[in-house]
């Protein structure tokens, strides 16, 4: 079902995607910031001083500052990376449909379903590698700077972030098969993730038919985003079942996208 | 002899503007291509040639009718995919890959592996004259080199059937000759070839049989000799204007006069000239080219 050659080719294509290259630059810059910009000092497992670009943080503000800093950084980095990943993923299928090699690829012994899923898997692999390596690097830097006083929540959060992306990407894939336009998919994907998702996360007590229908059609993206951040900031890992609950949505979205792809006439 | 390609009343109508506008691309096209044949599809732009090839490859779903490859309906299985090579019109490859990488990728998709894949890539690149450019990036290739790469990928897995959409478009005369020789060699080895081309003179040199498509309709198919007019035309050359009846119009050609006649009229004309004591300098058969045949069928079809 999954073709290794297509996965490798998708990885190659992802490496030259401007949005994804920029995401890697953001990750490297953040790692550089942590490596060279922050210095931590622990005594008996307690953070006693912190220097930010050589400037000492006031001892009385230390705890509040650190928690605010972590929260802001997590919010900023996760929002920026997801933004870039959504843009990068929006190009995958519309470009595939216009790829001059598509016709040739489909005369090889590979089905459209297999091609679609292999592209999906290849792209997820790229994002997962990028995020997990990034989080391991962040964890390692914090571990070495704090002499081991750091939890593994960063790594757990990266896995949660990947699941979040898998769900968002399935929506983008379906949209791509329907509208075949990368910019349109990017705009809709961003709108769903940054506007509709958070809105729907706060409608538990709202009784409205339209909102009920949307909440049935969309996976709980807003709540998933909150979970990922909670893992990093609070170390809470209790609501991971929500990720599992969201997976039927992925299956349904991909199944519909594959049906549409299978019925398309190639240009 | 077994049919490698067979279509029965194959039709395709494209719908645009949310189904409001319909474009007829193919209308009840039925044809058979036998093993080892070079079968050429001729037609003006938009005649349905590429649609026919795409329908055979299952890239386009027919509106009605059936298509068979190697005796099996194309939608019944993917088994035929191991046996088919395809060159699309306007072939292009990922610009940042080199020729070797492109062929390796497509070879892997065809099921080739390891040393066999490497050997086939080298051999095929040599065959199409790209042996020295195997590590060159595609974005540095000329139009002709890209096309040669396209032909290489179609041949890579040694298919039994080749579907080539404009295989000589953009090639220089030397490149065209190379492709022509290659197609003849493949055909001699039992490979069946279906090709589209606008270059009628090229087709005439290689094709065993041709089909002419016009506005989606198959207006003629058969051997070139069968499609040529049965009645041969002749050119008669004399030294004086004989001023015969209206049906035989002579026109000056240098110091002599020429007249074109149908074969059945030739004897009458020569007799008439003898009666007037005008010596016949030469009688030459007029060769009907594929281009003449093509335009004759196209104009007949348009009149209908």
């Amino acid at each position: 079902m999954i073709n290794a050659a297509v996965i490798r080719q998708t990885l190659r294509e992802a490496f030259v995607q401007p949005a994804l290259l920029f995401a890697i630059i953001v990750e490297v810059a953040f790692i550089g910031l942590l490596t060279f910009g922050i210095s931590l000092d622990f005594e008996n497992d307690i953070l006693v001083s912190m220097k930010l670009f050589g400037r000492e943080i006031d001892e009385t503000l230390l705890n509040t500052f650190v928690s605010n800093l972590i929260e802001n950084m997590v919010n900023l980095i996760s929002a920026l990376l997801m933004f870039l990943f959504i843009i990068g993923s929006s190009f995958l299928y519309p470009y595939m449909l216009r790829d001059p090699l598509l016709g040739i690829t489909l005369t090889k012994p590979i089905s459209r379903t297999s091609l679609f899923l292999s592209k999906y898997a290849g792209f997820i692999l790229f994002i997962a590698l990028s995020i997990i390596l990034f989080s391991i690097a962040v964890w390692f830097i914090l571990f070495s700077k704090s002499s081991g006083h750091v939890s593994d929540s960063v790594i757990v959060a990266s896995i949660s972030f990947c699941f979040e992306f898998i769900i968002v990407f399935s929506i983008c894939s379906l949209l791509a098969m329907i509208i075949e336009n990368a910019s349109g998919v990017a705009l809709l994907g961003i709108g769903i993730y940054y506007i509709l998702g958070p809105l729907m996360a706060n409608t538990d007590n709202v009784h409205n038919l339209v909102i009920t229908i949307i909440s049935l059609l969309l996976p709980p993206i807003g709540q998933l985003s909150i979970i990922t951040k909670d893992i990093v900031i609070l170390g809470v890992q209790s609501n991971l079942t929500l990720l599992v609950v969201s997976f039927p949505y992925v299956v349904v979205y991909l199944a519909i996208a594959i049906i549409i792809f299978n019925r398309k006439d190639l240009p | 002899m077994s049919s490698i390609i067979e279509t029965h009343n194959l039709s395709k109508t494209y719908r645009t503007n949310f189904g409001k506008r319909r474009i007829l691309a193919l209308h009840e096209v039925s044809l058979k291509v036998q093993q080892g044949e070079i079968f050429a599809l001729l037609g003006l732009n938009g005649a349905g040639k590429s649609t026919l090839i795409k329908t055979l490859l299952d890239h386009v779903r027919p509106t009605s009718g059936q298509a068979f490859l190697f005796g099996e309906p194309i939608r019944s299985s993917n088994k035929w995919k191991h046996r088919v090579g395809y060159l699309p019109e306007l072939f292009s490859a990922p610009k940042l890959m080199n020729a070797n990488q492109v062929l390796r990728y497509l070879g892997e998709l065809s099921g080739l592996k390891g040393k066999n894949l490497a050997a086939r890539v080298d051999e095929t690149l040599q065959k199409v004259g790209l042996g020295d450019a195997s590590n060159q990036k595609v974005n540095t290739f000329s139009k002709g080199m890209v096309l040669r790469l396209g032909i290489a990928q179609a041949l890579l897995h040694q298919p039994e059937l080749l579907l080539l959409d404009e295989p000589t478009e953009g090639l220089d005369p030397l490149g065209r000759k190379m492709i022509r020789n290659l197609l003849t060699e493949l055909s001699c080895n039992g490979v069946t070839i279906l090709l589209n081309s606008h270059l009628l003179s090229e087709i005439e040199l290689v094709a065993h049989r041709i089909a002419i498509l016009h506005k989606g309709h198959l207006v003629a198919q058969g051997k070139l000799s069968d499609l040529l007019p049965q009645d041969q035309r002749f050119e008669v050359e004399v030294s004086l204007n004989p001023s015969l009846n209206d049906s035989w119009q002579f026109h000056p050609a240098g110091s002599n006069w020429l007249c074109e006649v149908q074969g059945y009229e030739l004897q009458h004309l020569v007799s008439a000239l003898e009666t007037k004591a005008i010596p016949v300098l030469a009688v030459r058969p007029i060769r009907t080219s594929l281009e003449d045949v093509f335009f004759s069928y196209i104009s007949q079809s348009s009149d209908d």
Side-chain angles (χ1 to χ4, degrees):
Chain A
M1 189 60 91
I2 301 288
N3 187 296
V6 177
I7 290 179
R8 278 199 298 277
Q9 179 64 11
T10 309
L11 284 173
R12 271 189 218 120
E13 287 166 10
F15 267 112
V16 291
Q17 253 280 346
L20 300 181
L21 272 178
F22 189 61
I24 292 172
I25 292 169
V26 167
E27 289 173 351
V28 171
F30 185 73
I31 289 167
L33 178 80
L34 280 185
T35 311
F36 304 109
I38 292 174
S39 131
L40 304 169
D41 192 10
F42 281 82
E43 256 177 40
N44 298 325
D45 293 354
I46 296 165
L47 181 65
V48 289
S49 77
M50 178 183 178
K51 281 181 185 167
L52 197 60
F53 290 104
R55 206 178 124 209
E56 183 94 31
I57 305 297
D58 193 295
E59 200 176 335
T60 54
L61 298 172
L62 193 59
N63 283 331
T64 331
F65 182 84
V66 169
S67 61
N68 283 343
L69 182 72
I70 292 172
E71 191 173 341
N72 289 334
M73 281 198 311
V74 168
N75 283 336
L76 180 72
I77 286 289
S78 62
L80 185 58
L81 287 181
M82 187 58 89
F83 178 79
L84 293 169
F85 290 158
I86 290 173
I87 291 178
S89 68
S90 308
F91 285 84
L92 186 73
Y93 289 114
Y95 273 35
M96 179 191 80
L97 290 172
R98 287 174 186 78
D99 185 356
L101 275 190
L102 178 64
I104 294 170
T105 306
L106 289 174
T107 55
K108 308 296 177 193
I110 177 170
S111 66
R112 291 191 187 202
T113 303
S114 177
L115 178 67
F116 184 97
L117 288 177
S118 303
K119 285 250 168 205
Y120 188 83
F123 200 83
I124 294 286
L125 185 63
F126 178 89
I127 299 297
L129 282 174
S130 148
I131 281 295
I132 292 170
L133 289 176
F134 170 64
S135 66
I136 289 172
V138 169
W139 176 83
F140 183 75
I141 293 161
L142 291 177
F143 186 86
S144 56
K145 281 186 181 267
S146 64
S147 313
H149 296 95
V150 64
S151 77
D152 56 4
S153 59
V154 177
I155 296 169
V156 178
S158 73
I159 296 166
S160 166
F161 185 87
C162 284
F163 280 121
E164 225 183 292
F165 178 74
I166 288 171
I167 294 160
V168 176
F169 186 30
S170 68
I171 300 172
C172 290
S173 305
L174 176 57
L175 290 171
M177 282 298 143
I178 296 168
I179 61 177
E180 296 183 20
N181 178 295
S183 309
V185 175
L187 279 174
L188 286 171
I190 288 165
I192 288 170
Y193 184 78
Y194 291 99
I195 300 168
L196 206 53
L199 275 178
M200 299 310 294
N202 297 309
T203 54
D204 286 350
N205 298 319
V206 180
H207 301 288
N208 177 294
L209 184 64
V210 177
I211 290 173
T212 309
I213 291 170
I214 294 173
S215 65
L216 285 172
L217 289 175
L218 271 186
I221 301 168
Q223 287 97 316
L224 290 173
S225 174
I226 294 165
I227 289 172
T228 307
K229 282 160 196 164
D230 281 353
I231 292 170
V232 185
I233 298 162
L234 306 172
V236 180
Q237 298 176 21
S238 56
N239 277 331
L240 290 177
T241 46
L242 202 57
L243 290 169
V244 181
V245 173
S246 303
F247 263 76
Y249 283 97
V250 175
V251 175
V252 171
Y253 290 153
L254 291 184
I256 298 170
I258 288 167
I259 290 168
I260 295 172
F261 182 41
N262 274 309
R263 296 185 66 83
K264 266 189 198 303
D265 285 341
L266 300 185
Chain B
M1 201 182 264
S2 58
S3 286
I4 301 297
I5 299 173
E6 201 170 332
T7 66
H8 295 307
N9 300 323
L10 203 62
S11 297
K12 175 67 188 175
T13 304
Y14 289 107
R15 292 175 183 202
T16 56
N17 288 353
F18 300 100
K20 287 178 193 164
R21 191 166 166 241
R22 292 176 176 207
I23 301 164
L24 179 75
L26 288 177
H27 181 73
E28 298 190 347
V29 172
S30 300
L31 51 82
K32 282 183 183 181
V33 180
Q34 311 295 342
Q35 189 180 0
E37 255 191 331
I38 301 180
F39 191 93
L41 288 173
L42 307 180
L44 302 173
N45 288 336
K49 307 183 299 292
S50 295
T51 301
L52 178 58
I53 286 189
K54 284 176 187 170
T55 311
L56 290 171
L57 291 169
D58 198 22
H59 293 172
V60 166
R61 295 163 71 90
T63 312
S64 64
Q66 281 184 302
F68 301 84
L69 289 182
F70 304 101
E72 289 193 27
I74 49 166
R75 300 191 74 86
S76 69
S77 79
N78 279 343
K79 283 179 194 166
W80 56 266
K81 289 188 168 184
H82 288 280
R83 304 165 75 181
V84 173
Y86 169 54
L87 171 72
E89 192 182 6
L90 307 172
F91 169 80
S92 72
K95 302 271 182 278
L96 295 174
M97 289 170 91
N98 63 36
N100 209 307
Q101 287 170 326
V102 172
L103 291 195
R104 276 178 168 272
Y105 168 56
L106 294 171
E108 272 184 68
L109 289 180
S110 302
L112 299 173
K113 286 175 191 164
K115 285 180 182 171
N116 184 27
L117 173 62
R120 280 300 304 156
V121 168
D122 289 344
E123 194 183 316
T124 316
L125 284 172
Q126 292 290 346
K127 197 172 237 175
V128 298
L130 287 178
D132 297 333
S134 62
N135 292 318
Q136 209 175 311
K137 290 259 194 310
V138 175
N139 60 3
T140 64
F141 276 18
S142 67
K143 198 176 167 187
M145 287 168 86
V146 172
L147 191 60
R148 282 166 192 248
L149 181 63
I151 291 165
Q153 65 75 27
L155 299 174
L156 187 64
H157 55 296
Q158 296 171 301
E160 294 164 52
L161 169 65
L162 271 176
L163 300 164
L164 309 173
D165 207 343
E166 304 290 354
T168 51
E169 186 87 12
L171 283 182
D172 55 28
L174 198 67
R176 284 212 291 270
K177 188 169 183 238
M178 187 210 77
I179 299 301
R180 216 162 51 219
N181 292 342
L182 189 63
L183 296 183
T184 310
E185 182 195 321
L186 288 166
S187 168
C188 290
N189 292 332
V191 177
T192 310
I193 300 164
L194 176 71
L195 65 112
N196 275 354
S197 181
H198 290 300
L199 297 170
L200 301 180
S201 55
E202 293 291 325
I203 295 284
E204 203 170 355
L205 290 170
V206 293
H208 298 132
R209 286 200 303 141
I210 61 168
I212 298 174
L213 281 168
H214 186 55
K215 294 179 181 170
H217 294 75
L218 185 65
V219 294
Q221 68 169 314
K223 288 179 182 171
L224 182 61
S225 55
D226 296 340
L227 296 177
L228 288 171
Q230 294 305 307
D231 195 18
Q232 176 76 57
R233 287 177 67 79
F234 291 89
E235 188 179 61
V236 178
E237 188 174 354
V238 293
S239 54
L240 300 166
N241 186 0
S243 303
L244 298 172
N245 66 29
D246 287 346
S247 58
W248 296 321
Q249 292 292 325
F250 279 81
H251 54 89
S255 57
N256 297 330
W257 293 78
L258 293 173
C259 176
E260 282 182 20
V261 288
Q262 298 288 351
Y264 66 88
E265 289 179 306
L266 182 63
Q267 192 57 49
H268 300 296
L269 175 61
V270 171
S271 302
L273 289 168
E274 278 173 359
T275 312
K276 286 207 162 195
I278 296 172
V280 176
L281 298 177
V283 176
R284 287 182 288 265
I286 298 172
R287 190 180 163 275
T288 309
S289 68
L290 179 56
E291 191 171 276
D292 299 326
V293 173
F294 174 72
F295 283 115
S296 135
Y297 277 102
I298 294 290
S299 59
Q300 270 177 40
S301 170
S302 298
D303 293 344
D304 294 344

